[in-house]
Amino acid sequence: MTTEVKAMSHSGHEDLTAYRRRLGSNRLGLWLFLVSDAFMFGGLLVSRAVLWGDTRPELNQTLGFLVTAILLVSSFFMNRAETAMAHGDRKAFLRNTLITLGLGVLFLAGVVGLEWRIAPFGPSDDVYGAVFYMMTGMHAFHVLTGVIFLGVVWNNGRRGHYSAERHWAVEAAAVYWHFVDVVWIFFYPALYLIGAAVK
Amino acid sequence: MDLEKLEASKKEKYAMGVTILILLGAITLGEFGVALVGNNLGMILMLVALLKAFFVVRDYMHIGRLFSGEEE
């Protein structure tokens, strides 16, 4: 009989001790993935610095500030959702996850639905378009995957798959969501604030 | 952990979340204000972003759990 099989209880559920031991490896795996992803976003920031220098395109400042605020607030609700689940409060977990998900959709609508439409350039017009659409597009793709991740976690939570002791998926979704927020923390000044507006 | 302690721990963590949100909001407003004042402040704005990221990584992403093996 293997160790893994021994770690299973009669009901088929993994033993809590084995689950906790595995949690360390899960966390390390997730963080390694995030670090590798951060290199890609770092590359985009470097291309912005090289290609735009001390300039930036004229973008809608109000919209940029609003979508940034939306993402920051979504991180707050995600933190509440995770805390709620860690304390066995499923109702609060579901409510806060749903709010986070909604704010994620609102962020996407603001950037992809609105900012892309009103931006005074296209993706293939010049370096401003190329960098702007690449950075916001890659980030929006991560927000979209985060929204899907949250949807899956919310649905599983609704069906009672998580408890205060076992909620790794909730923690992973939260860490991923906050990572997406961290990326925007750097992208916001790089796209909207740094440099002189030139067009 | 009894129910009372659990509830107290939850409230404490919720309060920490609010503190971080207020902090991030204030820094973002400051960032926006600084950008309106001058054009050659790229390095300062990136340092401010680094500070914001530090709070998110420490208090929302709980990077400490990676090293401490904390369960929650």
Side-chain angles (χ1 to χ4, degrees):
Chain A
M1 195 183 280
T2 63
T3 320
E4 203 174 316
V5 174
K6 274 181 194 167
M8 299 288 179
S9 71
H10 292 298
S11 62
H13 285 293
E14 189 183 24
D15 179 65
L16 198 58
T17 318
Y19 177 85
R20 284 173 180 165
R21 203 178 307 129
R22 204 157 49 85
L23 205 54
S25 315
N26 288 348
R27 282 174 178 155
L28 183 63
L30 177 66
W31 275 93
L32 285 175
F33 160 70
L34 295 181
V35 168
S36 67
D37 214 16
F39 275 101
M40 187 269 300
F41 284 115
L44 288 175
L45 268 175
V46 169
S47 37
R48 179 260 176 249
V50 171
L51 295 170
W52 288 7
D54 282 339
T55 65
R56 63 174 166 83
E58 185 69 67
L59 296 165
N60 189 318
Q61 287 295 330
T62 312
L63 188 57
F65 185 76
L66 265 178
V67 292
T68 303
I70 287 169
L71 212 55
L72 284 181
V73 173
S74 80
S75 253
F76 164 74
F77 281 107
M78 189 68 248
N79 181 60
R80 276 179 91 88
E82 192 200 347
T83 303
M85 197 67 253
H87 289 80
D89 188 347
R90 196 162 68 99
K91 228 172 149 183
F93 158 72
L94 291 173
R95 188 178 58 244
N96 286 298
T97 304
L98 212 56
I99 294 172
T100 309
L101 202 150
L103 289 169
V105 171
L106 209 59
F107 175 86
L108 282 176
V111 173
V112 179
L114 212 58
E115 186 68 284
W116 281 17
R117 196 172 297 184
I118 60 173
F121 43 71
S124 55
D125 284 357
D126 50 22
V127 285
Y128 293 104
V131 170
F132 173 77
Y133 285 98
M134 189 65 205
M135 284 176 77
T136 53
M138 192 53 85
H139 182 263
F141 175 70
H142 279 73
V143 174
L144 179 66
T145 53
V147 163
I148 294 167
F149 197 175
L150 286 180
V152 172
V153 161
W154 178 83
N155 191 43
N156 285 340
R158 194 178 54 83
R159 289 154 67 190
H161 285 202
Y162 309 123
S163 65
E165 293 82 19
R166 295 166 193 257
H167 58 273
W168 160 244
V170 176
E171 184 184 326
V175 171
Y176 181 75
W177 190 261
H178 297 310
F179 169 73
V180 170
D181 184 24
V182 167
V183 170
W184 190 256
I185 281 175
F186 289 99
F187 275 22
Y188 170 59
L191 292 168
Y192 288 86
L193 305 177
I194 295 174
V198 290
K199 62 181 274 187
Chain B
M1 201 188 287
D2 61 42
L3 214 64
E4 233 172 73
K5 273 187 181 169
L6 201 69
E7 198 58 36
S9 151
K10 190 171 78 174
K11 275 185 182 161
E12 189 189 316
K13 284 180 176 161
Y14 275 177
M16 186 275 294
V18 174
T19 309
I20 297 300
L21 178 70
I22 292 169
L23 198 65
L24 291 175
I27 298 174
T28 307
L29 269 173
E31 199 177 26
F32 188 68
V34 164
L36 289 181
V37 173
N39 285 331
N40 298 317
L41 299 164
M43 191 53 82
I44 292 172
L45 289 172
M46 273 297 143
L47 286 174
V48 170
L50 209 59
L51 182 71
K52 282 166 71 181
F54 166 77
F55 286 120
V56 175
V57 170
R58 191 191 63 176
D59 298 311
Y60 281 170
M61 293 172 86
H62 309 288
I63 194 167
R65 286 177 187 167
L66 195 58
F67 310 104
S68 68
E70 186 195 335
E71 282 162 33
E72 193 190 292

